[in-house]
């Protein structure tokens, strides 16, 4: 219920449309009751069971008063126009009433569309924004397909299962209550019988709906697993083909699909049972009402006349559609709540990287970066231990060591992709946690081993994250990165689409675009995380030349496996098992004949 109310809270910005929807729903109900109120007098006067009324009755807020007034109005029409003309007039009035009823129904749905679509749009926006600000550690334990499923299929399920039946929550209870009040004024005895019998049907329907929510949640989890398999298969298609794993993966997907289909079959059967079950139970209630009401009509001492009883049955039959919709909606809402819970798991995920309310801006890097007794651990795994390091402005610092030693983690702490679990990092004497996050990251340009590019044009990839950038600025950045030459050979130059993840470019070309993107930001601090390790010799030379251009007059932190590329560094830091083992210039470390010399000799020998 909490998740359901939380979904409904997204309606608040669209409260004007919601009120208009309620208003037109009330008008629909009023016009419906008006048409039924005309029915009993029409039948009485048409078959001359009642004498013509010549004196106007006193008006009051009850169905008897309304029916008496309708008797008087119809009597006046018959007296002045005759029965045939009166019949035509009454039919025209009924036609107008039905037209206004359906016009009101359309207007209520017209305004509801603004509420539904607007609320779902806001939910989708909030989930996507949350995905952007969550720390990288959030994604390390989750499947990409599951996350995609939550922002796509789960949100879509909420729209279909909850928002689609949102009007039902407002309209149907009001309709049922209004009709019951009308029925109560017509025959309290018969309505009391209905009130006793009708809740029993709701109880039976509720028994089936209890299992639907649990099964729906399981179904969404299994669908997310299938989505993950599809995403991984597309990403790793080259490896799948190379290792002849097509049959293996196809069988795995079939198993997942069969399990999901079986679960979905059960969900659909329970949901589809709601409509015929509610219809049968409603029919049973109507039969009981016919039996009980018929006895009252046949009873000579009863005040319930045949024409009033017919009107009563017709009005009561109008309660069945909203009751049936309510039952069907109940099942759908259970599915929607299961999806809503999965969405809110993401939206409620803890934002480990939080900005202080009084965070201060920073736009310049003036002196130095300091790691003071820094420690970090992923859950129980301690990755960094008591790191102390000072990086002076304008210096080139290289980080080397075995894979898994903590080099990338050490660098990721600087732009606050993760936060330290011990100690602190300081820029110009102030802890980076005291700065605005966006300002802090704006000081840095990052080039990673894997070139992260987007399915867009060359221009937009280089200008990524910046607005109002001229083509000259983009081209200047590309020239510094040694990228302009190959860009000029592309079909549409800077407006060429480079495909998914830059698939139309070579590894060296993609990396130079990444460098150009970093250059355009003109950052005072440059972070290079093994930017050349995956390239061939020629591409590495071009990228290395580009990096040399970029690193001039900038503070640079370079992670490298190929030690030949960092001989020029002002200081080389050797990290092993989360600790700084050695530090110094290239020659100083060689003279020490320690870990660095062993690594260097191994690569030189190789």
């Amino acid at each position: 219920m909490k998740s359901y109310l939380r979904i409904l809270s997204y309606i608040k910005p669209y409260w004007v449309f919601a009120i208009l929807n309620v208003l037109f729903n009330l008008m629909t109900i009023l016009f419906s009751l008006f048409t039924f109120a005309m029915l009993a007098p029409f039948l009485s006067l048409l078959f001359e069971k009642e004498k013509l009324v010549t004196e106007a009755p006193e008006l009051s807020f009850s169905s008897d008063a309304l029916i008496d007034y309708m008797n008087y109005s119809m009597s006046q029409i018959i007296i002045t126009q005759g029965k045939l003309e009166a019949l035509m007039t009454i039919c025209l009035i009924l036609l107008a009433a039905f037209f206004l009823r359906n016009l009101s129904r359309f207007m209520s749905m017209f305004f509801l569309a603004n509420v539904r679509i607007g609320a779902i749009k806001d939910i989708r926006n909030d989930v996507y924004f949350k995905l952007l600000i969550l720390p990288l550690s959030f994604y390390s334990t989750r499947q990409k397909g599951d996350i995609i499923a939550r922002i796509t299929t789960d949100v879509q399920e909420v729209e279909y299962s909850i928002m689609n039946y949102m009007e039902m929550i407002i309209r149907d209870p009001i309709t049922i209550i209004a009709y019951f009040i009308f029925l109560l004024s017509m025959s309290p005895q018969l309505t009391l019988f209905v009130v006793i019998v009708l809740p029993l049907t709701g109880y039976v329907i509720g028994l089936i709906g209890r299992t639907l929510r649990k099964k729906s949640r399981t179904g969404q989890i299994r669908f997310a697993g299938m989505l993950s398999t599809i995403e991984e298969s597309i990403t790793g298609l080259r490896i799948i083909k190379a290792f002849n794993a097509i049959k293996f993966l196809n069988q795995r997907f079939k198993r997942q699909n069969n399990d999901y289909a079986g679960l979905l079959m059960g969900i659909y059967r329970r949901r589809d049972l709601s409509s015929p079950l509610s219809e049968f139970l409603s029919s049973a209630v109507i039969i009981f009402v016919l039996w009980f009401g018929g006895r009252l009509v046949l009873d000579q001492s009863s005040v319930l006349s045949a024409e009033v009883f017919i009107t009563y049955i017709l009005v009561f039959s109008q309660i069945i559609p909203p009751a049936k919709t309510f039952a069907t909606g109940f099942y759908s809402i259970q599915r929607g709540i299961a999806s809503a819970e999965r969405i809110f798991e993401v939206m409620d995920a803890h934002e480990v990287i939080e900005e202080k309310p009084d965070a201060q801006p920073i736009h310049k890097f003036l002196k130095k970066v300091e790691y003071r007794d820094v420690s970090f651990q992923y859950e129980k795994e301690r990755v960094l231990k008591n790191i102390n390091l000072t990086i002076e402005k304008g210096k080139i610092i290289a980080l080397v060591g075995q894979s898994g030693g903590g080099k990338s983690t050490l660098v990721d702490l600087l732009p606050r992709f993760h936060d330290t679990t011990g100690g602190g990092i300081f820029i110009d004497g102030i802890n980076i946690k005291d700065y605005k996050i966006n300002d802090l990251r704006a000081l840095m340009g990052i080039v990673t081993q894997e070139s992260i590019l987007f399915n867009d044009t060359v221009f937009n990839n280089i200008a990524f994250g910046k607005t109002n950038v001229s083509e000259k600025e983009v081209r200047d950045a590309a020239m510094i990165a040694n990228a302009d030459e190959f860009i000029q050979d592309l079909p549409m130059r800077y407006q060429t689409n480079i495909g998914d993840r830059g698939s139309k470019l070579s590894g060296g070309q993609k990396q130079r675009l990444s460098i150009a993107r970093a250059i355009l930001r003109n950052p005072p601090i440059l972070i290079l995380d093994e930017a050349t390790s995956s390239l061939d010799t020629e591409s590495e030379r071009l990228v290395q030349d580009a990096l040399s251009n970029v690193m001039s007059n900038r503070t640079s932190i370079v992670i490298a496996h190929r030690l030949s590329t960092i001989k020029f560094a002002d200081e080389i830091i050797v990290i092993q098992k989360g600790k700084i083992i050695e530090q110094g210039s290239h020659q100083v470390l060689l003279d020490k004949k320690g870990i660095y010399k062993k690594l260097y000799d191994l690569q030189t020998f190789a």
Side-chain angles (χ1 to χ4, degrees), residues 400-401 561-567 572 574 582 586-587 589-591 594-606:
V400 301
H561 275 308
R562 298 182 185 177
L563 304 186
S564 59
T565 62
I566 46 94
K567 291 180 182 179
I572 299 171
V574 182
E582 296 175 345
H586 173 69
Q587 192 57 50
L589 291 177
L590 287 180
D591 293 341
I595 300 294
Y596 179 79
K597 187 175 188 318
K598 288 181 180 178
L599 293 172
Y600 186 77
D601 288 344
L602 284 171
Q603 290 193 11
T604 305
F605 177 76

PDB file of all heavy atoms in Angstrom, residues 400-401 561-567 572 574 582 586-587 589-591 594-606:
ATOM      1  N   VAL A 400      52.292   2.816 -10.930  1.00  0.00           N
ATOM      2  CA  VAL A 400      52.581   1.520 -11.542  1.00  0.00           C
ATOM      3  C   VAL A 400      52.443   0.434 -10.483  1.00  0.00           C
ATOM      4  O   VAL A 400      52.403   0.694  -9.286  1.00  0.00           O
ATOM      5  CB  VAL A 400      54.005   1.487 -12.151  1.00  0.00           C
ATOM      6  CG1 VAL A 400      54.166   2.560 -13.211  1.00  0.00           C
ATOM      7  CG2 VAL A 400      55.078   1.657 -11.064  1.00  0.00           C
ATOM      8  N   GLY A 401      52.384  -0.795 -10.965  1.00  0.00           N
ATOM      9  CA  GLY A 401      52.264  -1.937 -10.051  1.00  0.00           C
ATOM     10  C   GLY A 401      51.427  -3.029 -10.683  1.00  0.00           C
ATOM     11  O   GLY A 401      50.892  -2.883 -11.791  1.00  0.00           O
ATOM     12  N   HIS A 561      50.870   0.374 -17.419  1.00  0.00           N
ATOM     13  CA  HIS A 561      51.498  -0.947 -17.326  1.00  0.00           C
ATOM     14  C   HIS A 561      52.806  -0.944 -18.108  1.00  0.00           C
ATOM     15  O   HIS A 561      53.771  -1.599 -17.722  1.00  0.00           O
ATOM     16  CB  HIS A 561      50.556  -2.018 -17.877  1.00  0.00           C
ATOM     17  CG  HIS A 561      49.581  -2.519 -16.861  1.00  0.00           C
ATOM     18  ND1 HIS A 561      49.955  -2.982 -15.632  1.00  0.00           N
ATOM     19  CD2 HIS A 561      48.227  -2.623 -16.896  1.00  0.00           C
ATOM     20  CE1 HIS A 561      48.886  -3.357 -14.941  1.00  0.00           C
ATOM     21  NE2 HIS A 561      47.820  -3.150 -15.691  1.00  0.00           N
ATOM     22  N   ARG A 562      52.821  -0.229 -19.234  1.00  0.00           N
ATOM     23  CA  ARG A 562      54.036  -0.153 -20.051  1.00  0.00           C
ATOM     24  C   ARG A 562      54.946   0.918 -19.463  1.00  0.00           C
ATOM     25  O   ARG A 562      54.724   2.121 -19.640  1.00  0.00           O
ATOM     26  CB  ARG A 562      53.682   0.171 -21.501  1.00  0.00           C
ATOM     27  CG  ARG A 562      52.812  -0.906 -22.150  1.00  0.00           C
ATOM     28  CD  ARG A 562      52.526  -0.576 -23.584  1.00  0.00           C
ATOM     29  NE  ARG A 562      51.594  -1.548 -24.175  1.00  0.00           N
ATOM     30  CZ  ARG A 562      51.127  -1.475 -25.412  1.00  0.00           C
ATOM     31  NH1 ARG A 562      51.505  -0.481 -26.205  1.00  0.00           N
ATOM     32  NH2 ARG A 562      50.289  -2.384 -25.866  1.00  0.00           N
ATOM     33  N   LEU A 563      55.948   0.494 -18.769  1.00  0.00           N
ATOM     34  CA  LEU A 563      56.815   1.421 -18.033  1.00  0.00           C
ATOM     35  C   LEU A 563      57.620   2.320 -18.966  1.00  0.00           C
ATOM     36  O   LEU A 563      58.060   3.388 -18.559  1.00  0.00           O
ATOM     37  CB  LEU A 563      57.749   0.634 -17.112  1.00  0.00           C
ATOM     38  CG  LEU A 563      57.050  -0.313 -16.116  1.00  0.00           C
ATOM     39  CD1 LEU A 563      58.076  -0.928 -15.173  1.00  0.00           C
ATOM     40  CD2 LEU A 563      55.990   0.427 -15.312  1.00  0.00           C
ATOM     41  N   SER A 564      57.797   1.895 -20.202  1.00  0.00           N
ATOM     42  CA  SER A 564      58.545   2.719 -21.158  1.00  0.00           C
ATOM     43  C   SER A 564      57.841   4.034 -21.451  1.00  0.00           C
ATOM     44  O   SER A 564      58.462   5.003 -21.885  1.00  0.00           O
ATOM     45  CB  SER A 564      58.751   1.949 -22.469  1.00  0.00           C
ATOM     46  OG  SER A 564      57.502   1.582 -23.029  1.00  0.00           O
ATOM     47  N   THR A 565      56.509   4.081 -21.201  1.00  0.00           N
ATOM     48  CA  THR A 565      55.737   5.287 -21.523  1.00  0.00           C
ATOM     49  C   THR A 565      55.759   6.319 -20.404  1.00  0.00           C
ATOM     50  O   THR A 565      55.269   7.438 -20.591  1.00  0.00           O
ATOM     51  CB  THR A 565      54.267   4.922 -21.823  1.00  0.00           C
ATOM     52  OG1 THR A 565      53.679   4.333 -20.652  1.00  0.00           O
ATOM     53  CG2 THR A 565      54.184   3.949 -22.980  1.00  0.00           C
ATOM     54  N   ILE A 566      56.322   5.977 -19.234  1.00  0.00           N
ATOM     55  CA  ILE A 566      56.272   6.925 -18.116  1.00  0.00           C
ATOM     56  C   ILE A 566      57.674   7.271 -17.583  1.00  0.00           C
ATOM     57  O   ILE A 566      57.823   7.718 -16.447  1.00  0.00           O
ATOM     58  CB  ILE A 566      55.373   6.384 -16.980  1.00  0.00           C
ATOM     59  CG1 ILE A 566      55.651   4.890 -16.642  1.00  0.00           C
ATOM     60  CG2 ILE A 566      53.924   6.510 -17.345  1.00  0.00           C
ATOM     61  CD1 ILE A 566      56.603   4.697 -15.535  1.00  0.00           C
ATOM     62  N   LYS A 567      58.700   7.077 -18.417  1.00  0.00           N
ATOM     63  CA  LYS A 567      60.055   7.450 -18.004  1.00  0.00           C
ATOM     64  C   LYS A 567      60.160   8.944 -17.712  1.00  0.00           C
ATOM     65  O   LYS A 567      60.955   9.383 -16.886  1.00  0.00           O
ATOM     66  CB  LYS A 567      61.049   7.104 -19.114  1.00  0.00           C
ATOM     67  CG  LYS A 567      61.257   5.614 -19.334  1.00  0.00           C
ATOM     68  CD  LYS A 567      62.252   5.406 -20.460  1.00  0.00           C
ATOM     69  CE  LYS A 567      62.467   3.937 -20.764  1.00  0.00           C
ATOM     70  NZ  LYS A 567      63.424   3.733 -21.878  1.00  0.00           N
ATOM     71  N   ILE A 572      57.388   8.573  -9.901  1.00  0.00           N
ATOM     72  CA  ILE A 572      56.717   7.296 -10.158  1.00  0.00           C
ATOM     73  C   ILE A 572      56.391   6.657  -8.809  1.00  0.00           C
ATOM     74  O   ILE A 572      57.259   6.536  -7.944  1.00  0.00           O
ATOM     75  CB  ILE A 572      57.604   6.354 -10.995  1.00  0.00           C
ATOM     76  CG1 ILE A 572      57.901   6.999 -12.364  1.00  0.00           C
ATOM     77  CG2 ILE A 572      56.942   4.996 -11.175  1.00  0.00           C
ATOM     78  CD1 ILE A 572      58.930   6.265 -13.181  1.00  0.00           C
ATOM     79  N   VAL A 574      55.071   3.313  -6.943  1.00  0.00           N
ATOM     80  CA  VAL A 574      54.880   1.865  -7.086  1.00  0.00           C
ATOM     81  C   VAL A 574      53.907   1.412  -5.998  1.00  0.00           C
ATOM     82  O   VAL A 574      54.177   1.583  -4.805  1.00  0.00           O
ATOM     83  CB  VAL A 574      56.202   1.094  -6.964  1.00  0.00           C
ATOM     84  CG1 VAL A 574      55.962  -0.399  -7.166  1.00  0.00           C
ATOM     85  CG2 VAL A 574      57.224   1.613  -7.965  1.00  0.00           C
ATOM     86  N   GLU A 582      57.306   1.944  -3.249  1.00  0.00           N
ATOM     87  CA  GLU A 582      58.453   2.768  -3.665  1.00  0.00           C
ATOM     88  C   GLU A 582      57.936   4.032  -4.337  1.00  0.00           C
ATOM     89  O   GLU A 582      56.826   4.050  -4.888  1.00  0.00           O
ATOM     90  CB  GLU A 582      59.336   2.009  -4.668  1.00  0.00           C
ATOM     91  CG  GLU A 582      59.998   0.756  -4.102  1.00  0.00           C
ATOM     92  CD  GLU A 582      60.767  -0.008  -5.179  1.00  0.00           C
ATOM     93  OE1 GLU A 582      60.559   0.263  -6.383  1.00  0.00           O
ATOM     94  OE2 GLU A 582      61.567  -0.872  -4.801  1.00  0.00           O
ATOM     95  N   HIS A 586      62.310   7.859 -12.442  1.00  0.00           N
ATOM     96  CA  HIS A 586      62.629   6.617 -13.144  1.00  0.00           C
ATOM     97  C   HIS A 586      64.037   6.135 -12.795  1.00  0.00           C
ATOM     98  O   HIS A 586      64.232   4.964 -12.421  1.00  0.00           O
ATOM     99  CB  HIS A 586      62.495   6.859 -14.648  1.00  0.00           C
ATOM    100  CG  HIS A 586      62.964   5.713 -15.497  1.00  0.00           C
ATOM    101  ND1 HIS A 586      62.303   4.504 -15.561  1.00  0.00           N
ATOM    102  CD2 HIS A 586      64.071   5.584 -16.307  1.00  0.00           C
ATOM    103  CE1 HIS A 586      62.957   3.681 -16.375  1.00  0.00           C
ATOM    104  NE2 HIS A 586      64.028   4.318 -16.837  1.00  0.00           N
ATOM    105  N   GLN A 587      65.004   7.032 -12.868  1.00  0.00           N
ATOM    106  CA  GLN A 587      66.389   6.627 -12.626  1.00  0.00           C
ATOM    107  C   GLN A 587      66.633   6.273 -11.162  1.00  0.00           C
ATOM    108  O   GLN A 587      67.341   5.310 -10.846  1.00  0.00           O
ATOM    109  CB  GLN A 587      67.343   7.753 -13.053  1.00  0.00           C
ATOM    110  CG  GLN A 587      68.807   7.331 -13.112  1.00  0.00           C
ATOM    111  CD  GLN A 587      69.037   6.137 -14.048  1.00  0.00           C
ATOM    112  OE1 GLN A 587      68.593   6.149 -15.199  1.00  0.00           O
ATOM    113  NE2 GLN A 587      69.715   5.108 -13.548  1.00  0.00           N
ATOM    114  N   LEU A 589      64.518   5.028  -9.050  1.00  0.00           N
ATOM    115  CA  LEU A 589      63.931   3.723  -8.757  1.00  0.00           C
ATOM    116  C   LEU A 589      64.743   2.583  -9.358  1.00  0.00           C
ATOM    117  O   LEU A 589      64.842   1.495  -8.773  1.00  0.00           O
ATOM    118  CB  LEU A 589      62.489   3.670  -9.263  1.00  0.00           C
ATOM    119  CG  LEU A 589      61.486   4.558  -8.509  1.00  0.00           C
ATOM    120  CD1 LEU A 589      60.101   4.471  -9.143  1.00  0.00           C
ATOM    121  CD2 LEU A 589      61.402   4.164  -7.038  1.00  0.00           C
ATOM    122  N   LEU A 590      65.321   2.832 -10.527  1.00  0.00           N
ATOM    123  CA  LEU A 590      66.188   1.806 -11.110  1.00  0.00           C
ATOM    124  C   LEU A 590      67.410   1.584 -10.227  1.00  0.00           C
ATOM    125  O   LEU A 590      67.855   0.445 -10.022  1.00  0.00           O
ATOM    126  CB  LEU A 590      66.619   2.216 -12.519  1.00  0.00           C
ATOM    127  CG  LEU A 590      65.564   2.141 -13.628  1.00  0.00           C
ATOM    128  CD1 LEU A 590      66.162   2.594 -14.958  1.00  0.00           C
ATOM    129  CD2 LEU A 590      65.007   0.731 -13.774  1.00  0.00           C
ATOM    130  N   ASP A 591      67.947   2.675  -9.690  1.00  0.00           N
ATOM    131  CA  ASP A 591      69.138   2.574  -8.844  1.00  0.00           C
ATOM    132  C   ASP A 591      68.840   1.850  -7.532  1.00  0.00           C
ATOM    133  O   ASP A 591      69.726   1.214  -6.944  1.00  0.00           O
ATOM    134  CB  ASP A 591      69.693   3.975  -8.534  1.00  0.00           C
ATOM    135  CG  ASP A 591      70.250   4.645  -9.794  1.00  0.00           C
ATOM    136  OD1 ASP A 591      70.537   3.915 -10.776  1.00  0.00           O
ATOM    137  OD2 ASP A 591      70.372   5.883  -9.804  1.00  0.00           O
ATOM    138  N   GLY A 594      64.755  -2.275  -6.691  1.00  0.00           N
ATOM    139  CA  GLY A 594      63.657  -2.875  -5.950  1.00  0.00           C
ATOM    140  C   GLY A 594      62.575  -3.408  -6.887  1.00  0.00           C
ATOM    141  O   GLY A 594      62.866  -3.938  -7.977  1.00  0.00           O
ATOM    142  N   ILE A 595      61.320  -3.265  -6.471  1.00  0.00           N
ATOM    143  CA  ILE A 595      60.171  -3.779  -7.230  1.00  0.00           C
ATOM    144  C   ILE A 595      60.105  -3.151  -8.619  1.00  0.00           C
ATOM    145  O   ILE A 595      59.870  -3.844  -9.620  1.00  0.00           O
ATOM    146  CB  ILE A 595      58.854  -3.506  -6.472  1.00  0.00           C
ATOM    147  CG1 ILE A 595      58.862  -4.188  -5.095  1.00  0.00           C
ATOM    148  CG2 ILE A 595      57.657  -3.987  -7.291  1.00  0.00           C
ATOM    149  CD1 ILE A 595      58.881  -5.690  -5.161  1.00  0.00           C
ATOM    150  N   TYR A 596      60.298  -1.831  -8.691  1.00  0.00           N
ATOM    151  CA  TYR A 596      60.187  -1.135  -9.978  1.00  0.00           C
ATOM    152  C   TYR A 596      61.202  -1.678 -10.977  1.00  0.00           C
ATOM    153  O   TYR A 596      60.881  -1.916 -12.146  1.00  0.00           O
ATOM    154  CB  TYR A 596      60.382   0.368  -9.789  1.00  0.00           C
ATOM    155  CG  TYR A 596      60.296   1.154 -11.084  1.00  0.00           C
ATOM    156  CD1 TYR A 596      59.055   1.459 -11.642  1.00  0.00           C
ATOM    157  CD2 TYR A 596      61.446   1.575 -11.754  1.00  0.00           C
ATOM    158  CE1 TYR A 596      58.957   2.163 -12.833  1.00  0.00           C
ATOM    159  CE2 TYR A 596      61.356   2.278 -12.946  1.00  0.00           C
ATOM    160  CZ  TYR A 596      60.113   2.576 -13.476  1.00  0.00           C
ATOM    161  OH  TYR A 596      60.021   3.274 -14.661  1.00  0.00           O
ATOM    162  N   LYS A 597      62.467  -1.886 -10.529  1.00  0.00           N
ATOM    163  CA  LYS A 597      63.503  -2.392 -11.444  1.00  0.00           C
ATOM    164  C   LYS A 597      63.149  -3.789 -11.935  1.00  0.00           C
ATOM    165  O   LYS A 597      63.343  -4.116 -13.116  1.00  0.00           O
ATOM    166  CB  LYS A 597      64.862  -2.420 -10.761  1.00  0.00           C
ATOM    167  CG  LYS A 597      66.011  -2.775 -11.720  1.00  0.00           C
ATOM    168  CD  LYS A 597      67.345  -2.690 -11.054  1.00  0.00           C
ATOM    169  CE  LYS A 597      68.482  -2.852 -12.065  1.00  0.00           C
ATOM    170  NZ  LYS A 597      68.303  -3.877 -13.072  1.00  0.00           N
ATOM    171  N   LYS A 598      62.560  -4.620 -11.060  1.00  0.00           N
ATOM    172  CA  LYS A 598      62.173  -5.960 -11.492  1.00  0.00           C
ATOM    173  C   LYS A 598      61.095  -5.887 -12.575  1.00  0.00           C
ATOM    174  O   LYS A 598      61.160  -6.588 -13.588  1.00  0.00           O
ATOM    175  CB  LYS A 598      61.644  -6.765 -10.305  1.00  0.00           C
ATOM    176  CG  LYS A 598      62.733  -7.189  -9.315  1.00  0.00           C
ATOM    177  CD  LYS A 598      62.136  -7.992  -8.174  1.00  0.00           C
ATOM    178  CE  LYS A 598      63.220  -8.415  -7.182  1.00  0.00           C
ATOM    179  NZ  LYS A 598      62.667  -9.167  -6.037  1.00  0.00           N
ATOM    180  N   LEU A 599      60.110  -5.007 -12.359  1.00  0.00           N
ATOM    181  CA  LEU A 599      59.050  -4.843 -13.358  1.00  0.00           C
ATOM    182  C   LEU A 599      59.623  -4.318 -14.670  1.00  0.00           C
ATOM    183  O   LEU A 599      59.254  -4.777 -15.760  1.00  0.00           O
ATOM    184  CB  LEU A 599      57.974  -3.876 -12.829  1.00  0.00           C
ATOM    185  CG  LEU A 599      57.138  -4.355 -11.638  1.00  0.00           C
ATOM    186  CD1 LEU A 599      56.257  -3.226 -11.120  1.00  0.00           C
ATOM    187  CD2 LEU A 599      56.264  -5.540 -12.051  1.00  0.00           C
ATOM    188  N   TYR A 600      60.525  -3.355 -14.563  1.00  0.00           N
ATOM    189  CA  TYR A 600      61.114  -2.750 -15.762  1.00  0.00           C
ATOM    190  C   TYR A 600      61.963  -3.767 -16.527  1.00  0.00           C
ATOM    191  O   TYR A 600      61.885  -3.857 -17.761  1.00  0.00           O
ATOM    192  CB  TYR A 600      61.967  -1.542 -15.364  1.00  0.00           C
ATOM    193  CG  TYR A 600      62.498  -0.773 -16.547  1.00  0.00           C
ATOM    194  CD1 TYR A 600      61.679   0.089 -17.266  1.00  0.00           C
ATOM    195  CD2 TYR A 600      63.844  -0.910 -16.944  1.00  0.00           C
ATOM    196  CE1 TYR A 600      62.176   0.794 -18.359  1.00  0.00           C
ATOM    197  CE2 TYR A 600      64.341  -0.218 -18.024  1.00  0.00           C
ATOM    198  CZ  TYR A 600      63.505   0.642 -18.732  1.00  0.00           C
ATOM    199  OH  TYR A 600      63.992   1.329 -19.815  1.00  0.00           O
ATOM    200  N   ASP A 601      62.744  -4.544 -15.796  1.00  0.00           N
ATOM    201  CA  ASP A 601      63.593  -5.560 -16.445  1.00  0.00           C
ATOM    202  C   ASP A 601      62.741  -6.623 -17.129  1.00  0.00           C
ATOM    203  O   ASP A 601      63.081  -7.085 -18.226  1.00  0.00           O
ATOM    204  CB  ASP A 601      64.508  -6.225 -15.407  1.00  0.00           C
ATOM    205  CG  ASP A 601      65.621  -5.288 -14.933  1.00  0.00           C
ATOM    206  OD1 ASP A 601      65.857  -4.261 -15.627  1.00  0.00           O
ATOM    207  OD2 ASP A 601      66.218  -5.562 -13.884  1.00  0.00           O
ATOM    208  N   LEU A 602      61.633  -7.017 -16.510  1.00  0.00           N
ATOM    209  CA  LEU A 602      60.755  -8.010 -17.112  1.00  0.00           C
ATOM    210  C   LEU A 602      60.195  -7.500 -18.440  1.00  0.00           C
ATOM    211  O   LEU A 602      60.145  -8.236 -19.433  1.00  0.00           O
ATOM    212  CB  LEU A 602      59.592  -8.353 -16.163  1.00  0.00           C
ATOM    213  CG  LEU A 602      59.941  -9.273 -14.986  1.00  0.00           C
ATOM    214  CD1 LEU A 602      58.768  -9.349 -14.007  1.00  0.00           C
ATOM    215  CD2 LEU A 602      60.271 -10.683 -15.500  1.00  0.00           C
ATOM    216  N   GLN A 603      59.773  -6.237 -18.468  1.00  0.00           N
ATOM    217  CA  GLN A 603      59.216  -5.669 -19.705  1.00  0.00           C
ATOM    218  C   GLN A 603      60.299  -5.441 -20.752  1.00  0.00           C
ATOM    219  O   GLN A 603      60.065  -5.638 -21.948  1.00  0.00           O
ATOM    220  CB  GLN A 603      58.479  -4.352 -19.401  1.00  0.00           C
ATOM    221  CG  GLN A 603      57.199  -4.555 -18.619  1.00  0.00           C
ATOM    222  CD  GLN A 603      56.335  -3.310 -18.590  1.00  0.00           C
ATOM    223  OE1 GLN A 603      56.571  -2.351 -19.316  1.00  0.00           O
ATOM    224  NE2 GLN A 603      55.307  -3.332 -17.748  1.00  0.00           N
ATOM    225  N   THR A 604      61.478  -5.059 -20.307  1.00  0.00           N
ATOM    226  CA  THR A 604      62.587  -4.850 -21.253  1.00  0.00           C
ATOM    227  C   THR A 604      63.008  -6.170 -21.876  1.00  0.00           C
ATOM    228  O   THR A 604      63.241  -6.273 -23.090  1.00  0.00           O
ATOM    229  CB  THR A 604      63.799  -4.209 -20.537  1.00  0.00           C
ATOM    230  OG1 THR A 604      63.379  -3.003 -19.902  1.00  0.00           O
ATOM    231  CG2 THR A 604      64.911  -3.901 -21.533  1.00  0.00           C
ATOM    232  N   PHE A 605      63.054  -7.212 -21.045  1.00  0.00           N
ATOM    233  CA  PHE A 605      63.427  -8.538 -21.538  1.00  0.00           C
ATOM    234  C   PHE A 605      62.380  -9.062 -22.516  1.00  0.00           C
ATOM    235  O   PHE A 605      62.666  -9.649 -23.546  1.00  0.00           O
ATOM    236  CB  PHE A 605      63.587  -9.500 -20.351  1.00  0.00           C
ATOM    237  CG  PHE A 605      63.900 -10.904 -20.761  1.00  0.00           C
ATOM    238  CD1 PHE A 605      65.177 -11.260 -21.186  1.00  0.00           C
ATOM    239  CD2 PHE A 605      62.920 -11.891 -20.740  1.00  0.00           C
ATOM    240  CE1 PHE A 605      65.463 -12.563 -21.583  1.00  0.00           C
ATOM    241  CE2 PHE A 605      63.199 -13.192 -21.134  1.00  0.00           C
ATOM    242  CZ  PHE A 605      64.485 -13.527 -21.547  1.00  0.00           C
ATOM    243  N   ALA A 606      61.093  -8.796 -22.138  1.00  0.00           N
ATOM    244  CA  ALA A 606      60.002  -9.257 -23.007  1.00  0.00           C
ATOM    245  C   ALA A 606      60.056  -8.555 -24.345  1.00  0.00           C
ATOM    246  O   ALA A 606      59.747  -9.134 -25.368  1.00  0.00           O
ATOM    247  CB  ALA A 606      58.666  -9.014 -22.325  1.00  0.00           C
TER     248      ALA A 606
END
